[in-house]
């Protein structure tokens, strides 16, 4: 067994791409080796600022000889078939073997030397490497993340002959740019490679660099009586910026601690790649709003003591140098740069806290385009206000307070501070609202309305915050669906999947009892904000129930109410137009375009119809919710059974899933499925012969006792299950169905469903259909495996 060692040495690789590149290197070369029949014991990639390396242990020196069997024509096949097969395998017929009347070709493939195939593998990997961004350098025709300078390529201690556009493989590498010897370093295997780098101030392993940074950073902070505020994302980034990391603790002017802590930490992290440093005071139980300058490390639950940390006037930088003065000059220079950055922050903070800034900022948003097909940021804010106000009662929030919070939620986008630090949008708005003396629930809603921004982010807890957060995400999701800008495949430029997941989490956590169709309807009604002295909102009503013919209605509340109400009468592809009213339109010409829903000439905005958008949103959200529920451990077949009913109430769907799973785990679960299955199987068989009867089951004269008993049980079950469904007691309803198994079994064992008398047959089939329909408002039990 032999070892393969590869190093691709280049100019600085962006830190954010390094860990992904290491995974891709392992994946691509591992797949190449496996496809060539080359097994190995271990494969690991290493990455740093200037190198991407990979070592494979336990490779055979050559592949094993294999015999490939190829199936040919039958013995009775015409001569032309045999001729074609012989050409394909490159053999004569006397080399074939006849097995069970079929000609078989056995092709011997000798083993090949591993060293002979590695070069082509590496070439393919380099040329197809999936860098997020890449470039061509000099006269090269291939792309790489940065100019590729050197290729180290060793197998079993020997250099593999390899050349790529002037780059020739060797056994040479280089150490640290400044701390190394400045000489090329010959190596013979991975052990000598790793040692040569270590001797020249290069720590090869990214994980080891992270560990060194974290341990040494904590140590220098502890020595100064402080503690490091950990940040895993920043830790990974600085480990990718340094080959020989040296954490240094610098001093910051204490006057900057008057700034909100998020400003300080964001400036350090985003612009300078510094870690923030805090000073622990004590453990407390969290009881309310924290003050500026506070950072909190949360415990495992809300009742746990929290570690209370206040920012210290220090910062931690990770240097790529071991300075002779202990890093004093490095710390001084970085402190000077940080002071300049934070001085800007102080200026922005003072300017943004002037009186009346919210109104000024909202005015500025009128000139900011959100999207060409969705209008300005000011119009987006107006839609969010309408949505939030409509949603407020469903989360038990005050509609007036919610509307005001929604109106101010995006104002800080026009502030100086958010212009400098876009990451602080919402956060700064909350601070400005506090400074302006606004109600705490409004300030918190502004601060939290972007939440949750990912699976690890929390959901807004306050009712007003939840309503504004829902409105914000719904406007994004529904708006882009309405202009037909939906995610496709892996592309989601407007982060609509993230918005959908956030909506689902808020709906579920706050137990919001509203259907997705209603939420989409609220959005379409919010389009009335576009109406004004110079424009009107029009809805095509060509397909409305009871419509006498094509007509266009000006968008007032009554027309929109009817438009949304009548959606369920059929799939309406009725576009909505925002049209200037100071122009003369020939509505007959407009109607010529209605079937294809194109942009109407002269229209300011055109939106797809509520019907189609509503159904697409429901399907899109259902896909996201299925994944959420599956990740939570729910059975996939139960999820599919409940979702088959297309209920847009997210909370009700999850309740039904939990109820069905609970019953299926209990002894009555077997009765529930058996009762449904026997009835469903007979109905399925009879439906193949023709349409099933649509009559209601009734008592027939002379009916057998088991038939009468089942009919009586059905009538009782209908009432009992109906009451349970009204109260959303789904477990009780399912248990009632399961309890009918004895009657169903007795009926099916005691009568012939497919009776000669057509009326008797129809009535018995109607009874079985009624049995299946009992669960029809909970789940499609036929999907349970």
């Amino acid at each position: 067994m032999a070892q393969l060692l590869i190093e691709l040495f280049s100019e600085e690789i962006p830190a954010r791409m390094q860990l992904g590149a290491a995974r891709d290197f392992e994946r691509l070369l591992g797949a190449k080796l496996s496809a060539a029949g080359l097994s190995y014991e271990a494969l690991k990639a290493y990455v740093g600022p200037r190198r991407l390396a990979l070592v494979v242990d336990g490779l055979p020196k050559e592949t094993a000889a294999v015999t490939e069997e190829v199936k040919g024509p039958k013995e009775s096949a015409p001569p032309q078939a045999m001729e074609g097969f012989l050409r394909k395998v490159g053999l004569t017929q006397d080399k074939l073997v006849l097995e069970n009347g079929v000609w078989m070709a056995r092709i011997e493939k000798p083993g090949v030397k591993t060293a002979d195939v590695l070069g082509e593998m590496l070439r393919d990997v380099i040329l197809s490497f999936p860098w997020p961004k890449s470039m061509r350098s000099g006269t090269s025709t291939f792309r790489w993340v940065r100019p590729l300078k050197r290729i180290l390529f060793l197998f079993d201690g020997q250099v593999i002959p390899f050349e790529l556009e002037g780059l020739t493989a060797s056994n040479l590498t280089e150490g640290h740019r400044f701390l190394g010897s400045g000489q090329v370093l010959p190596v013979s295997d991975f052990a000598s490679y790793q040692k040569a780098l270590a001797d020249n101030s290069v720590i090869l392993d990214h994980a080891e660099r992270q560990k060194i940074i974290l341990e040494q950073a904590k140590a220098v902070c502890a020595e100064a009586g402080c503690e490091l505020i950990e940040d895993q994302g920043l830790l990974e980034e600085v480990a990718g910026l340094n080959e020989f990391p040296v954490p240094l603790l610098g001093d910051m002017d204490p006057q900057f601690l008057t700034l909100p802590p998020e400003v300080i930490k964001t400036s350090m992290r985003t612009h300078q790649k510094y870690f923030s440093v805090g000073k622990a005071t004590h453990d407390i139980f969290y009881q309310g709003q924290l003050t500026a300058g506070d950072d909190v490390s949360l415990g495992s639950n809300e009742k746990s003591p929290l570690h209370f940390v206040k920012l210290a006037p220090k910062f931690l930088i990770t240097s790529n140098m071991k300075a002779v003065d202990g890093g004093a000059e490095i710390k001084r220079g970085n402190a000077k740069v940080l002071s300049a950055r934070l001085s800007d922050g102080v200026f922005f903070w003072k300017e943004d806290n002037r009186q009346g800034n919210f109104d000024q900022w909202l005015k500025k948003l009128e000139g900011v385009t959100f999207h060409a097909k969705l209008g300005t940021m000011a119009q987006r804010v107006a839609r969010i206000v309408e949505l939030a106000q409509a949603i407020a009662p469903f989360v038990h929030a005050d509609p007036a307070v919610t509307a005001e919070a929604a109106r101010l939620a995006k104002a800080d986008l026009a502030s100086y501070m958010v212009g400098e630090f876009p990451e602080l949008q919402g956060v700064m708005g909350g601070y400005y609202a506090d400074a302006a003396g606004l109600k705490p629930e409004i300030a918190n809603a502004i601060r939290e309305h972007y939440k949750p921004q990912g699976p690890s982010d929390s959901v807004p807890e306050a009712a007003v915050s939840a309503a504004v957060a829902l409105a914000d995400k719904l406007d994004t999701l529904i708006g882009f669906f309405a202009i037909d800008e939906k995610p496709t495949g892996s592309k989601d430029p407007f982060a609509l999947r993230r918005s959908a997941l956030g909506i689902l989490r808020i709906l579920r956590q706050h137990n919001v009892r509203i259907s997705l169709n209603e939420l989409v309807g609220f959005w379409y009604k919010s389009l009335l904000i576009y109406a004004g002295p110079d424009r009107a909102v029009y809805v095509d009503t060509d397909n409305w129930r009871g419509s006498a013919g094509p007509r266009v209605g000006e968008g007032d509340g009554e027309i929109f109410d009817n438009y949304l109400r009548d959606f369920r009468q059929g799939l309406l592809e009725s576009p909505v137009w925002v049209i200037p009213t100071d122009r003369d339109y020939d509505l007959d010409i407009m109607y010529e375009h209605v079937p294809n829903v194109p942009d109407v000439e002269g229209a300011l905005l055109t939106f797809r119809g509520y019907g189609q958008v509503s159904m697409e949103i429901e399907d899109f959200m259902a896909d996201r919710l299925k994944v959420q529920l599956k990740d939570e451990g729910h059975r996939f077949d139960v999820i599919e059974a409940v979702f088959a009913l297309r209920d847009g109430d997210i909370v009700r769907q999850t309740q039904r899933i939990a109820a069905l799973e609970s019953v299926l785990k209990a002894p009555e679960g077997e009765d529930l499925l058996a009762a449904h299955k026997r009835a469903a199987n007979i109905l399925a068989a009879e439906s193949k012969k023709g349409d099933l009867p649509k009559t209601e089951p009734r008592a027939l004269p002379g009916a057998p006792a088991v038939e009468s008993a089942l009919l009586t049980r059905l009538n009782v079950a209908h009432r009992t299950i109906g009451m349970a469904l009204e109260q959303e007691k789904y477990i009780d309803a399912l248990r009632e169905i399961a309890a009918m198994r004895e009657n169903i079994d007795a009926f099916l064992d005691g009568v012939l469903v497919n009776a000669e008398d057509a009326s008797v047959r129809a009535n018995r089939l109607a009874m079985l259909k009624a049995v299946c329909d009992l669960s029809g408002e909970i789940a499609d039990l036929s999907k349970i495996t």
Side-chain angles (χ1 to χ4, degrees):
M1 293 298 186
Q3 183 187 80
L4 170 66
L5 175 62
I6 302 171
E7 182 195 68
L8 304 174
F9 188 86
S10 70
E11 295 295 343
E12 272 70 10
I13 303 170
R16 68 182 184 280
M17 300 183 188
Q18 290 179 20
L19 292 177
R23 290 191 293 268
D24 288 333
F25 204 5
E26 291 178 351
R27 174 179 57 84
L28 292 172
L29 197 65
K32 293 284 184 185
L33 293 172
S34 299
L38 291 168
S39 60
Y40 51 85
E41 295 173 1
L43 180 151
K44 181 174 176 58
Y46 298 86
V47 67
R50 298 196 295 158
R51 68 197 78 230
L52 181 59
L54 182 137
V55 59
V56 186
D57 286 313
L59 273 174
K61 294 185 179 181
E62 63 178 41
T63 62
V66 295
T67 300
E68 181 182 358
E69 287 193 349
V70 183
K71 186 177 180 180
K74 293 182 178 180
E75 185 180 12
S76 58
Q80 295 88 341
M82 175 59 74
E83 292 171 4
F85 179 66
L86 293 175
R87 285 195 301 271
K88 172 185 174 182
V89 297
L91 299 174
T92 57
Q93 189 167 354
D94 62 305
K95 301 294 185 182
L96 304 183
V97 177
L98 189 62
E99 293 183 359
N100 298 322
V102 177
W103 290 103
M104 301 291 294
R106 290 192 173 89
I107 303 173
E108 302 291 338
K109 291 187 174 181
V112 297
K113 291 183 178 180
T114 302
D116 293 341
V117 299
L118 290 176
E120 198 57 37
M121 290 183 190
L122 181 58
R123 184 182 304 276
D124 290 344
V125 168
I126 292 175
L127 296 181
S128 63
F129 206 86
W131 293 107
K133 289 186 178 181
S134 56
M135 60 183 292
R136 290 190 181 92
S137 59
T139 59
S140 68
T141 60
F142 71 94
R143 302 182 68 89
W144 199 247
V145 62
R146 293 292 185 270
L148 198 56
K149 297 294 187 181
R150 188 185 300 280
I151 298 176
L152 183 152
F153 198 7
L154 293 177
F155 178 69
D156 197 23
Q158 302 298 313
V159 176
I160 299 293
F162 181 81
E163 189 273 335
L164 180 64
E165 297 192 11
L167 288 173
T168 304
S170 69
N171 67 335
L172 303 176
T173 186
E174 298 181 24
H176 193 284
R177 189 187 293 274
F178 304 110
L179 300 179
S181 65
Q183 305 296 318
V184 293
L185 309 171
V187 301
S188 58
D189 56 16
F190 180 70
S192 65
Y193 170 71
Q194 196 170 27
K195 183 178 185 304
L197 292 179
D199 290 344
N200 284 266
S201 302
V202 173
I203 299 169
L204 179 63
D205 192 343
H206 196 286
E208 185 180 351
R209 295 197 300 275
Q210 288 188 47
K211 182 180 178 182
I212 290 171
I213 294 168
L214 190 58
E215 290 179 351
Q216 293 185 8
K218 287 182 176 179
V220 298
C221 287
E223 188 177 345
C226 304
E227 64 178 70
L228 181 74
I229 297 177
E230 295 187 33
D231 184 331
Q232 181 59 34
L234 181 58
L235 178 62
E236 292 177 2
E237 186 172 7
V238 296
L241 293 171
N242 301 279
E243 291 185 313
F244 189 79
V246 179
L248 301 170
L249 188 65
D251 293 313
M252 177 180 68
D253 191 333
Q255 69 169 335
F256 295 125
L257 292 181
T258 58
L259 287 168
E262 292 88 351
V263 174
I264 299 172
K265 290 190 287 186
T266 302
S267 181
M268 288 183 178
R269 187 188 200 280
T270 304
H271 295 298
Q272 305 305 125
K273 313 305 177 190
Y274 301 161
F275 287 91
S276 298
V277 177
K279 189 166 185 177
T281 55
H282 48 79
D283 288 339
I284 62 169
F285 284 91
Y286 179 64
Q287 295 179 337
Q289 180 67 40
L290 297 174
T291 60
D294 298 340
D295 193 16
V296 167
S297 176
L298 293 177
S300 60
N301 58 64
E302 292 181 1
K303 295 182 180 180
S304 297
L306 307 181
H307 194 51
F308 188 83
V309 178
K310 203 171 187 71
L311 282 182
K314 294 183 180 295
F315 63 91
L316 189 130
I317 180 175
T318 307
S319 171
N320 196 31
M321 288 291 295
K322 191 172 184 180
V324 293
D325 63 354
E329 190 63 23
I330 295 175
K331 291 187 285 186
R332 189 192 67 79
N334 281 276
K336 187 175 181 180
V337 173
L338 180 61
S339 292
R341 287 281 185 189
L342 294 181
S343 294
D344 289 342
V346 170
F347 171 77
F348 297 149
W349 175 245
K350 290 179 178 178
E351 288 298 308
D352 287 341
N353 274 305
R354 292 181 182 275
Q355 291 294 324
N357 266 2
F358 272 100
D359 292 331
Q360 294 178 25
W361 292 335
L362 290 172
K363 187 68 176 176
K364 287 182 180 179
L365 294 184
E366 295 177 5
V368 179
T369 299
F370 170 62
H371 188 280
K373 295 182 179 180
L374 288 169
T376 65
M377 276 301 305
Q379 290 170 326
R380 168 163 156 75
V381 168
R383 292 196 304 268
I384 292 173
V385 170
E386 294 294 319
L387 276 171
Q389 200 164 11
I391 292 168
F394 295 91
V395 295
H396 310 294
D398 185 316
V401 174
T402 302
E404 181 63 6
R407 187 180 75 88
L408 302 177
K410 300 294 182 184
D412 69 348
L413 293 174
S415 69
Y416 287 119
M417 191 72 81
V418 174
E420 179 72 10
F421 302 113
E423 306 93 331
L424 296 181
Q425 53 189 282
V427 173
M428 295 311 304
Y431 279 110
Y432 298 142
D434 286 333
L438 299 180
K439 292 182 178 180
E441 54 263 51
I442 292 178
N444 287 335
I446 296 171
R447 185 178 287 112
E448 298 177 347
H449 81 280
Y450 289 103
K451 290 177 170 284
Q453 298 190 62
S456 61
D457 196 11
S458 61
V459 170
E461 294 186 6
V464 174
S465 300
V468 179
L470 268 177
D472 176 45
K473 291 167 178 59
L474 284 166
D475 180 69
T476 300
L477 179 66
I478 301 169
F480 282 106
F481 268 74
I483 62 173
D484 207 17
E485 291 282 358
K486 299 169 289 186
T488 57
S490 61
K491 294 183 178 180
D492 186 9
F494 304 110
L496 301 186
R497 292 186 178 93
R498 186 174 68 185
S499 294
L501 292 173
I503 292 167
L504 290 172
R505 289 183 61 193
I506 297 172
L507 290 174
R508 295 178 65 189
Q509 184 162 317
H510 283 268
N511 199 38
V512 182
R513 305 310 308 273
I514 188 171
S515 72
L516 293 172
N517 285 332
E518 287 179 277
L519 290 171
V520 178
F522 288 158
W523 187 87
Y524 271 83
K525 286 198 72 172
S526 77
L527 296 181
L528 290 174
I529 60 101
Y530 288 103
D534 60 345
R535 68 180 67 89
V537 180
Y538 287 84
V539 180
D540 167 63
T541 59
D542 189 19
N543 294 315
W544 278 18
R545 179 185 58 182
S547 173
R551 61 192 178 92
V552 171
E554 186 169 352
D556 57 28
E558 182 180 356
I559 285 180
F560 267 74
D561 283 338
N562 294 336
Y563 172 59
L564 302 176
R565 181 199 66 203
D566 288 350
F567 157 66
R568 291 194 177 278
Q569 302 303 317
L571 179 59
L572 304 182
E573 188 49 57
S574 304
V576 178
W577 294 303
V578 178
I579 299 177
T581 55
D582 59 352
R583 304 184 190 178
D584 186 18
Y585 284 94
D586 186 338
L587 298 184
D588 291 333
I589 295 177
M590 288 170 55
Y591 276 120
E592 293 178 4
H593 300 284
V594 168
N596 297 319
V597 201
D599 291 342
V600 175
E601 184 179 357
L604 300 178
L605 297 170
T606 303
F607 303 106
R608 299 167 64 222
Y610 162 74
Q612 187 66 36
V613 170
S614 182
M615 292 192 69
E616 290 176 0
I617 290 287
E618 188 174 321
D619 290 340
F620 185 74
M621 297 290 282
D623 289 341
R624 311 278 85 71
L625 181 56
K626 287 178 183 178
V627 174
Q628 273 189 359
L629 293 170
K630 190 176 179 182
D631 289 344
E632 292 169 10
H634 294 283
R635 285 174 48 172
F636 185 72
D637 59 341
V638 173
I639 294 171
E640 289 296 318
V642 172
F643 274 80
L645 305 187
R646 294 190 67 89
D647 184 346
D649 187 324
I650 300 300
V651 174
R652 188 160 55 216
Q653 283 180 310
T654 55
Q655 288 177 345
R656 289 171 176 171
I657 289 169
L660 182 53
E661 283 187 328
S662 176
V663 172
L664 290 177
K665 291 176 184 176
E668 58 261 51
E670 182 179 347
D671 294 336
L672 173 69
L673 296 182
H676 181 274
K677 186 175 182 180
R678 289 196 72 182
N681 285 347
I682 294 174
L683 290 175
E686 292 301 313
S687 66
K688 295 178 182 179
K689 303 174 184 177
D691 294 337
L692 293 174
K694 297 182 180 179
T695 57
E696 294 293 325
R698 55 193 176 90
L700 295 179
V706 290
E707 184 172 335
S708 299
L710 178 59
L711 184 60
T712 301
R713 191 75 176 81
L714 270 172
N715 290 333
V716 173
H718 270 298
R719 292 192 297 272
T720 305
I721 293 172
M723 291 173 57
L725 292 177
E726 285 182 9
Q727 300 172 34
E728 297 188 345
K729 296 181 178 180
Y730 301 114
I731 291 180
D732 292 348
L734 291 168
R735 285 174 176 166
E736 180 70 18
I737 299 171
M740 294 182 62
R741 179 180 181 180
E742 184 177 348
N743 293 96
I744 295 169
D745 286 344
F747 170 72
L748 293 176
D749 294 339
V751 304
L752 178 65
V753 174
N754 196 13
E756 293 184 6
D757 187 322
S759 61
V760 173
R761 172 181 177 274
N763 195 58
R764 290 174 178 173
L765 288 175
M767 292 176 66
L768 295 181
K769 185 176 183 303
V771 168
C772 292
D773 288 346
L774 290 174
S775 60
E777 291 188 41
I778 302 174
D780 181 354
L781 296 181
S782 66
K783 295 186 178 296
I784 302 297
T785 58

